[in-house]
Amino acid sequence: MSPEVLLRCDALTVAYGANIALENVTVHIRRGEFVGIVGPSGSGKTSLLRALTGTVRATRGSVELASGVRLGYVPQVESVDWNFPITVREVLAMTRTRRRWPTITDDERAEAAAVLADLGLAGLEDRHIRELSGGQQQRVFVARAMFARPDVLVLDEPTSGVDVRTRHEILHLLRDLHSKGSTILLTTHDLNGLASHLPRLVCLNREVVADGSPRETLIPEVLERTYGAPLHVLEHGGMPIVLDHDYESSESLRDAERSLSQGRGAPS
């Protein structure tokens, strides 16, 4: 394996019984990349992440990590039980302990405080997770992943189920992490608010439809093959805006422009 490639899947097929979730998918993630996987519900985005992180096995093909590469996984905020009685510090400690309840050494306590400070969460170590805002909650789980010292940060729909302000915060958090050298792989359904700002997109619908920059992938032909329906693409401020069939609606256009404007300053 080339030392530049940290994570790769080749001719990957994943099936759950007779249901094929992914078929003949090849994706390579190189050090320092910021990659988004986009596609409709049921397209295999989460199955791909599960295969890459080792929680489901390939039916055919292969998944390979470069020697010593560690992954940090950030789940969807909607999948977390926010009433579970645990503090911010204990969430981080769960990545380092095998004890029944997460504990932390003095050195790890200082390291956790530094990670939280880097993510704008200084002073919240003893706060219960349910007391946090949506943006803070997502940052805590990014901090948890970063506390594991990953080589690749993997996020499943990081802007799903959050408001526009929180989406803006998450986008800029990921931009900052990438600028500091983090390799990031994420799935997203947010074509205008997140995907259009990423350097590389993989359009997925059980198979790879396209792989390239937003200008190469957010085009009508690729989007129709990916989503199975016509989508229209306009340009606003030098960036693509994806609209559905109701694109002539002024409200639809305003919504897309508003989503797009939240991400200005993101990686390019």
Side-chain angles (χ1 to χ4, degrees):
M1 178 185 292
S2 165
E4 184 186 17
V5 178
L6 301 184
L7 177 62
R8 67 190 300 161
C9 65
D10 290 297
L12 174 68
T13 294
V14 172
Y16 305 99
N19 178 35
I20 297 177
L22 296 169
E23 189 168 18
N24 198 34
V25 169
T26 295
V27 177
H28 297 171
I29 307 299
R30 294 171 173 79
R31 186 179 300 279
E33 283 198 299
F34 195 165
V35 183
I37 301 170
V38 300
S41 298
S43 62
K45 300 190 299 295
T46 298
S47 291
L48 178 56
L49 290 194
R50 289 175 176 170
L52 293 174
T53 55
T55 57
V56 299
R57 299 187 62 177
T59 304
R60 291 190 299 274
S62 64
V63 175
E64 186 179 0
L65 274 67
S67 178
V69 166
R70 291 174 295 191
L71 303 181
Y73 178 69
V74 181
Q76 292 187 39
V77 293
E78 296 172 322
S79 68
V80 176
D81 180 3
W82 297 107
N83 290 313
F84 190 74
I86 193 168
T87 67
V88 169
R89 182 185 289 111
E90 288 166 343
V91 170
L92 269 65
M94 291 172 70
T95 67
R96 298 283 184 91
T97 182
R98 295 186 179 181
R99 301 181 181 91
R100 187 171 182 178
W101 189 254
T103 57
I104 195 167
T105 67
D106 289 342
D107 287 345
E108 289 172 336
R109 184 182 295 265
E111 184 181 349
V115 170
L116 291 170
D118 282 346
L119 298 180
L121 297 169
L124 298 182
E125 292 90 339
D126 296 315
R127 190 78 62 86
H128 191 288
I129 57 171
R130 71 179 169 214
E131 299 172 351
L132 306 178
S133 69
Q136 289 172 331
Q137 289 172 341
Q138 185 64 283
R139 284 172 183 261
V140 165
F141 278 83
V142 173
R144 178 179 180 268
M146 297 302 292
F147 192 57
R149 303 170 185 160
D151 299 286
V152 183
L153 184 61
V154 180
L155 305 99
D156 191 8
E157 298 279 7
T159 59
S160 176
V162 301
D163 58 29
V164 172
R165 179 178 177 180
T166 301
R167 183 171 60 200
H168 178 70
E169 291 178 6
I170 293 167
L171 178 56
H172 284 270
L173 167 63
L174 297 178
R175 176 204 63 188
D176 290 342
L177 290 173
H178 181 246
S179 70
K180 294 174 182 176
S182 293
T183 303
I184 300 175
L185 172 66
L186 59 83
T187 61
T188 183
H189 68 281
D190 189 3
L191 293 178
N192 292 316
L194 180 55
S196 63
H197 299 278
L198 302 184
R200 177 184 167 197
L201 296 178
V202 177
C203 295
L204 187 71
N205 194 340
R206 294 206 314 175
E207 62 182 7
V208 174
V209 176
D211 185 343
S213 69
R215 285 194 171 277
E216 294 169 317
T217 55
L218 298 184
I219 59 176
E221 310 91 88
V222 168
L223 292 171
E224 183 166 357
R225 289 173 57 203
T226 302
Y227 290 90
L231 293 172
H232 303 273
V233 182
L234 303 179
E235 190 165 303
H236 176 74
M239 301 189 72
I241 301 179
V242 180
L243 303 173
D244 60 20
H245 66 281
D246 191 28
Y247 73 100
E248 291 182 345
S249 161
S250 59
E251 184 60 31
S252 175
L253 182 57
R254 281 197 299 270
D255 286 345
E257 289 177 338
R258 189 159 47 244
S259 292
L260 187 63
S261 67
Q262 292 300 321
R264 286 205 174 90
S268 57

